[in-house]
Amino acid sequence: MSDLFHVSSSPHVRAKDSTDRIMLYVIIALLPASLFGIYNFGFRALFIILLTIASCVASEWVFDYIVKKKSTITDLSAVVTGLLLALNLPVSLPWWEAVLGGVFAIIIVKCIFGGLGQNFMNPALGGRCFLLIAFAADMTNFNVTRNGVDVYSGATPLALIKNEGLSSVNVRDMLIGNTAGTIGETSVIAILIGAIIMILLGVIDLKIPASYIITFAVFMFLFGAQQFDINYVVAELCGGGLMLGAFFMATDYVTSPITPMGKIIFGICCGILTGVFRCFGANAEGVSFAIILSNCLVPIIEKVSIPRAFGMVKEAKKNE
């Protein structure tokens, strides 16, 4: 019986998953969107993807070397950051701006705050928002020319909906991905394939994505430019980076809540903020800033959503 009192330190339940294994799963899940982006926009999309991955990995290696810290590039988190950043960039972006975005994402957003597990916002989204602020014209230029022929005119479906109405877009093309946009956001089908892969592998659950998407859909149904129009809501769901953000960036382990109720609250915050930006903002998008602002609310969300320990009861009021 005395052996029952000799218990090893936590954790008592261990899983085979490691950081590099989870990151590998995410990379695999992002392959459908990446491959479709290369098919849709040409080999320059592949160039941008490889360039941002290389800049992120190199930035992390150089930072670790300078501060005399053990290299962490083998955990593949820098690769995931570079890939996600690339999928959030227009294919026409100058190469040096893509590199600068990767350096900012890794050095400023991730490493300065202590590395993986310490950053307060998603590094890829931090890099994208930095580029949006610093190089707004290039980040909103979606013109695609192939062999001297304009493949896409430059106006994204969301911009067309905002300026010309629902009749100016083809929802079927938005679902498939034959539209202008960033490299990895256009094909909802490819993104959902990747999301299913992550769910089946146990990397994410549906609490954050479902609460995010449902909240946004309800918000647009009630307050959108075409209220109570389900076709309008579907178009808004398929357009822009909503699906990519909901499944691949809002679910980031480090910058999202760990409590079950906190995940739902976090998703609701993302959905409301995205709806506010799209309905009342000057820009037709809003996903990146919505997720980053929600990232800043995570400490408060976790504080109010901590589950009560088994057997604990509320303290009686002092006046009782």
Side-chain angles (χ1 to χ4, degrees):
M1 291 293 293
S2 60
D3 291 340
L4 295 175
F5 297 98
H6 296 281
V7 181
S8 62
S9 61
S10 61
H12 305 299
V13 179
R14 305 175 190 270
K16 294 180 180 179
D17 289 335
S18 57
T19 300
D20 56 340
R21 183 187 291 267
I22 292 172
M23 294 300 166
L24 179 60
Y25 290 161
V26 176
I27 293 170
I28 293 171
L30 284 169
L31 285 179
S34 303
L35 293 174
F36 185 86
I38 296 168
Y39 163 78
N40 196 28
F41 298 111
F43 280 101
R44 195 173 196 281
L46 176 61
F47 172 70
I48 293 293
I49 290 172
L50 295 177
L51 190 65
T52 54
I53 291 175
S55 65
C56 286
V57 173
S59 297
E60 187 159 318
W61 184 87
V62 170
F63 183 90
D64 290 341
Y65 179 79
I66 292 174
V67 300
K68 295 179 172 56
K69 177 182 175 183
K70 181 181 177 181
S71 178
T72 54
I73 61 173
T74 56
D75 64 14
L76 299 179
S77 61
V79 176
V80 171
T81 297
L83 181 54
L84 278 173
L85 176 60
L87 297 183
N88 279 279
L89 300 179
V91 72
S92 59
L93 191 75
W95 67 268
W96 62 272
E97 291 180 13
V99 171
L100 189 60
V103 173
F104 184 91
I106 293 297
I107 301 296
I108 304 300
V109 182
K110 181 181 178 183
C111 292
I112 290 296
F113 286 92
L116 184 65
Q118 305 299 319
N119 47 285
F120 72 97
M121 72 170 69
N122 185 288
L125 285 182
R128 182 178 192 270
C129 289
F130 163 72
L131 292 175
L132 272 172
I133 295 171
F135 310 103
D138 291 334
M139 284 292 291
T140 54
N141 177 19
F142 298 102
N143 290 308
V144 179
T145 303
R146 197 176 301 159
N147 299 323
V149 179
D150 288 337
V151 179
Y152 297 116
S153 64
T156 63
L158 287 183
L160 290 172
I161 294 172
K162 193 176 185 67
N163 298 322
E164 303 176 19
L166 183 60
S167 60
S168 61
V169 299
N170 186 317
V171 177
R172 180 175 176 274
D173 285 343
M174 295 172 67
L175 186 66
I176 297 171
N178 296 323
T179 62
T182 65
I183 294 172
E185 74 178 14
T186 60
S187 176
V188 175
I189 293 175
I191 293 169
L192 290 178
I193 291 172
I196 291 171
I197 291 173
M198 288 204 297
I199 292 169
L200 292 178
L201 291 174
V203 178
I204 64 170
D205 59 34
L206 283 173
K207 290 186 181 68
I208 291 176
S211 58
Y212 187 168
I213 293 169
I214 292 172
T215 301
F216 173 78
V218 172
F219 188 97
M220 298 306 288
F221 188 74
L222 297 176
F223 305 108
Q226 296 181 216
Q227 296 175 357
F228 312 112
D229 187 340
I230 192 64
N231 292 323
Y232 170 78
V233 174
V234 172
E236 286 285 347
L237 287 171
C238 293
L242 177 69
M243 291 297 175
L244 185 65
F247 286 105
F248 287 96
M249 288 173 284
T251 55
D252 177 27
Y253 285 2
V254 178
T255 57
S256 63
I258 60 174
T259 60
M261 182 55 66
K263 291 181 179 181
I264 295 173
I265 297 172
F266 178 77
I268 292 172
C269 289
C270 290
I272 292 175
L273 288 172
T274 303
V276 169
F277 288 138
R278 287 197 182 181
C279 289
F280 309 112
N283 194 283
E285 186 46 278
V287 170
S288 298
F289 289 107
I291 294 176
I292 283 180
L293 288 175
S294 298
N295 288 157
C296 297
L297 297 175
V298 167
I300 299 174
I301 292 173
E302 289 188 330
K303 185 175 181 180
V304 301
S305 63
I306 297 175
R308 193 181 306 164
F310 180 75
M312 293 288 291
V313 295
K314 290 184 177 179
E315 294 184 4
K317 293 182 180 179
K318 293 181 179 180
N319 296 330
E320 294 181 356

